Amino acid sequence: MDKVLIDVGSSTVKVYKLTDGKLLPIETKSIHFKEDFDPAQGITESNKDILIEYINQLKKRSPGGIKIFATAIFRKFDEAARQDFGDEFFRRTDLFFYIVPHDLEGYYLEMALAGKNTLIDPLLLINIGGGSTELIVTRGTEVIDRHNLDIGVMTVLKDFPYINNATSEHVLADVVQGIQAKLPPTTLKTPIAMYNGGELTYMNLAGYKLELNTVLKDEDHPSMIRVQDFSKRNEQVFREVTLKSLEALMPNDPLWMHGARACSAIAQAICEHFGVGTIIPSDSNMVHGVVRQEFRTVVLSGSFRKHLEYILKVKKELAQKNIQILSPRFEEPKNPGEEFVVFDGEEGLSPLDLERYHLDMIDQCDALVICSPGGYVGASALIEFGYAQAKGKRIIFTEKPEEFMLGTLPAEVGL
């Protein structure tokens, strides 16, 4: 059955459908979460209501289930505000609102883009959001440089408030220069950049001079554009193309175009700064990386006494997907069926030592997977669930837990 994946950023909610292993964009919705944002309070009540109502509408249309991945401004919540928001969101939607850590977002971007890179020369990956920008330089599939910038569409709109007049009241060169003043110094030159976040669709709609992609064979990235042609069309979009004309190109979500000029100016500033000659526009983003590999590392919990065979089966299946299992480390039990199972390789360690190690690994993992066949969750797993909850970790039950209280706390069901 189709699964729906949702990417929630600072200003845009992007909805995708995963069907037969292929990710298809469905729709976008613009919600300016940064408006009146307060780290201690989170997003405004009105924006929260709009988001939750929209998600519940999507639920009615999505019998296969929904997963949510949030970034950008949601990472700026204070701890108490993050927990309050997550609890309320879960209570009103029955869905876990996963706020992706910055490093994991970067990994997803690498998987979405650089995972297919066969170039010898460095490739710059550009991921521009509402409140931040991620830059990753790869050579092949190896990351050789990375920058997380507090520059995004909303920060540019704040610095240049007349950019979205009918035609921009700000000169493109001035905007680009202002952005470049905030970029990190670099001596690394990257002749090719992959610029993602719906840019392939946007450039096609807005009449950019796209050519056949001859530098990278990839069905997801059929086109490229020379930087001089990109800059020339940006100039026209600033001076000649009205905002109403841009809005008309995307009638289902015209507010998306309110970030078009700012986003293009950021990309142009970055490309000039890094010596880019050719841009490969991409509609791929973080969610495409999620589909390729959702976790780097996980910890498995469950009843090793009752369900060891089940847990080891889950471990094997995850390992086959190149996911590192931080704990349990070993697979051969020395005392199967006893009250506290110890594996070969754990000789001399007390139950307390082993549990402390397990909790330390929860601190480091991308997700805690609780193996709960038939809904059963053992006492040790209950402790680990509570620990992971307190740490704000992503928690996934393999099957819906039978314990009532476990169903009231934010978590996911099903790998």
Side-chain angles (χ1 to χ4, degrees):
M1 192 172 287
D2 296 344
K3 175 79 71 176
V4 169
L5 306 181
I6 302 176
D7 175 5
V8 184
S10 290
S11 57
T12 307
V13 180
K14 300 173 184 175
V15 183
Y16 299 85
K17 181 172 69 173
L18 180 62
T19 178
D20 296 328
K22 190 171 181 61
L23 193 66
L24 304 172
I26 301 301
E27 62 191 56
T28 64
K29 183 175 180 64
S30 293
I31 309 174
H32 294 295
F33 296 113
K34 205 164 186 178
E35 183 178 58
D36 295 328
F37 172 77
D38 179 354
Q41 301 295 325
I43 61 176
T44 64
E45 288 295 323
S46 60
N47 279 339
K48 183 195 303 179
D49 289 341
I50 291 169
L51 174 63
I52 289 174
E53 181 180 351
Y54 180 58
I55 296 299
N56 280 327
Q57 289 173 1
L58 290 172
K59 273 188 66 179
K60 294 176 182 178
R61 295 187 267 140
S62 310
I66 289 175
K67 286 192 175 186
I68 297 169
F69 300 86
T71 59
I73 199 168
F74 293 94
R75 286 195 287 256
K76 297 181 183 294
F77 279 44
D78 287 351
E79 182 62 26
R82 180 196 63 78
Q83 182 171 313
D84 288 345
F85 175 81
D87 289 350
E88 181 178 353
F89 188 90
F90 185 75
R91 187 174 65 252
R92 295 173 63 182
T93 67
D94 202 31
L95 294 171
F96 181 67
F97 192 86
Y98 181 45
I99 301 175
V100 181
H102 217 146
D103 66 315
L104 185 55
E105 180 186 8
Y107 174 77
Y108 286 149
L109 180 59
E110 293 162 27
M111 292 300 297
L113 303 176
K116 297 183 178 182
N117 180 23
T118 57
L119 300 176
I120 297 174
D121 290 330
L123 172 69
L124 175 65
L125 310 179
I126 304 173
N127 181 36
I128 301 170
S132 62
T133 293
E134 179 102 14
L135 302 179
I136 301 170
V137 183
T138 68
R139 185 177 280 115
T141 57
E142 178 189 1
V143 175
I144 59 176
D145 199 11
R146 185 194 303 276
H147 301 281
N148 296 320
L149 311 177
D150 289 327
I151 302 169
V153 170
M154 302 305 290
T155 59
V156 171
L157 294 178
K158 182 178 178 181
D159 291 342
F160 300 94
Y162 308 115
I163 202 172
N164 274 339
N165 285 11
T167 55
S168 174
E169 296 295 322
H170 298 286
V171 177
L172 174 61
D174 293 340
V175 179
V176 168
Q177 187 176 12
I179 295 166
Q180 287 177 336
K182 300 180 180 181
L183 297 179
T186 182
T187 57
L188 183 64
K189 299 301 178 185
T190 54
I192 299 167
M194 193 171 280
Y195 172 28
N196 76 309
E199 297 309 317
L200 177 60
T201 294
Y202 166 69
M203 289 190 198
N204 272 311
L205 289 172
Y208 282 74
K209 188 180 178 181
L210 297 177
E211 307 172 27
L212 180 68
N213 184 356
T214 58
V215 299
L216 189 64
K217 291 184 178 180
D218 182 356
E219 62 181 11
D220 291 332
H221 302 100
S223 303
M224 67 182 193
I225 186 170
R226 309 297 175 182
V227 166
Q228 59 266 33
D229 292 328
F230 176 66
S231 303
K232 181 179 178 181
R233 185 56 177 162
N234 287 345
E235 184 71 41
Q236 293 169 340
V237 169
F238 264 63
R239 291 190 299 106
E240 301 171 15
V241 180
T242 66
L243 186 62
K244 280 189 176 295
S245 297
L246 290 173
E247 290 175 339
L249 298 174
M250 197 173 285
N252 292 331
D253 188 20
L255 289 179
W256 192 94
M257 287 295 184
H258 288 210
R261 289 172 180 159
C263 199
S264 295
I266 296 171
Q268 182 175 326
I270 290 169
C271 288
E272 291 178 2
H273 187 68
F274 280 83
V276 173
T278 301
I279 298 171
I280 300 172
S282 174
D283 284 345
S284 298
N285 69 359
M286 177 184 70
V287 172
H288 293 77
V290 170
V291 170
R292 297 193 72 185
Q293 184 164 334
E294 190 170 355
F295 312 107
R296 299 167 298 182
T297 58
V298 301
V299 167
L300 301 182
S301 288
S303 176
F304 291 2
R305 181 170 61 89
K306 289 188 174 183
H307 300 131
L308 181 60
E309 185 178 346
Y310 179 95
I311 293 169
L312 293 180
K313 180 174 182 287
V314 172
K315 181 179 181 181
K316 182 179 179 180
E317 291 173 351
L318 292 174
Q320 288 173 343
K321 298 178 181 179
N322 296 319
I323 298 167
Q324 183 183 2
I325 316 302
L326 298 182
S327 185
R329 292 169 289 177
F330 308 106
E331 298 184 3
E332 292 297 327
K334 289 181 67 66
N335 57 344
E338 292 191 15
E339 189 67 28
F340 191 91
V341 176
V342 176
F343 293 93
D344 280 339
E346 296 177 337
E347 296 86 349
L349 296 174
S350 70
L352 178 59
D353 291 333
L354 294 172
E355 188 61 26
R356 290 288 188 200
Y357 174 81
H358 204 66
L359 297 179
D360 286 345
M361 292 303 99
I362 290 175
D363 283 337
Q364 299 178 35
C365 71
D366 291 335
L368 172 66
V369 177
I370 299 180
C371 299
S372 49
Y376 179 83
V377 178
S380 293
L382 282 172
I383 294 170
E384 291 147 13
F385 172 82
Y387 183 83
Q389 276 282 334
K391 293 287 185 174
K393 284 290 182 177
R394 187 178 180 189
I395 302 169
I396 304 168
F397 293 97
T398 57
E399 298 179 31
K400 186 175 181 179
E402 60 185 10
E403 175 65 41
F404 171 78
M405 280 305 298
L406 293 179
T408 68
L409 296 167
E412 299 172 58
V413 176
L415 282 169

